[in-house]
């Protein structure tokens, strides 16, 4: 799956599951999710993580979870692309 398709689906999750508008999603692309600018909690991050696994039909190993910055929009897109066989 390519970056654009992953971003579309990720944006959809953020809109549908968390009620974020395009402005908030734009901010998420610039800041870490757990930063004060975004205000995501650890629980929100876990919910997002689970939604990503479900939506993209992927799973992450314990090692990937411990060694990946899942609170970064760009890092999430990169990891999802790799997991779905994209670039």
């Amino acid at each position: 799956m390519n970056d654009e398709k992953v971003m579309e689906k990720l944006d959809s999750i953020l809109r549908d599951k968390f009620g974020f508008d395009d402005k908030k999603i734009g901010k998420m692309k610039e800041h870490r999710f757990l930063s004060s600018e975004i205000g995501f909690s650890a629980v929100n991050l876990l919910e997002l993580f689970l939604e990503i696994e479900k939506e993209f039909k992927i799973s992450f190993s314990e090692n990937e979870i411990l060694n990946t910055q899942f609170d970064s929009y760009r890092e999430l897109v990169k990891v999802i692309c790799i997991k779905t066989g994209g670039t």
Side-chain angles (χ1 to χ4, degrees):
M1 188 174 291
N2 66 26
D3 286 6
E4 190 174 310
K5 188 70 172 167
V6 169
M7 288 189 287
E8 285 176 19
K9 284 187 164 197
L10 187 54
D11 290 357
S12 180
I13 291 170
L14 293 169
R15 275 189 209 94
D16 298 344
K17 302 295 180 181
F18 297 94
F20 290 171
D21 60 18
D22 289 339
K23 183 177 179 180
K24 181 81 168 193
I25 292 170
K27 278 186 144 185
M28 293 185 87
K29 293 177 182 180
E30 299 172 17
H31 302 281
R32 295 248 177 238
F33 298 167
L34 297 175
S35 70
S36 60
E37 290 87 357
I38 304 303
F40 233 41
S41 70
V43 171
N44 294 139
L45 197 56
L46 177 60
E47 290 171 0
L48 177 60
F49 178 76
L50 296 172
E51 287 296 326
I52 288 169
E53 285 191 320
K54 185 169 67 174
E55 176 69 28
F56 292 96
K57 297 173 180 53
I58 57 177
S59 61
F60 298 98
S61 69
E62 182 179 339
N63 188 46
E64 288 171 318
I65 294 167
L66 295 174
N67 294 310
T68 305
Q69 293 292 330
F70 285 106
D71 73 327
S72 161
Y73 185 95
R74 296 191 194 290
E75 188 69 22
L76 276 178
V77 170
K78 179 179 159 187
V79 171
I80 293 166
C81 283
I82 292 168
K83 286 287 203 178
T84 59
T87 55

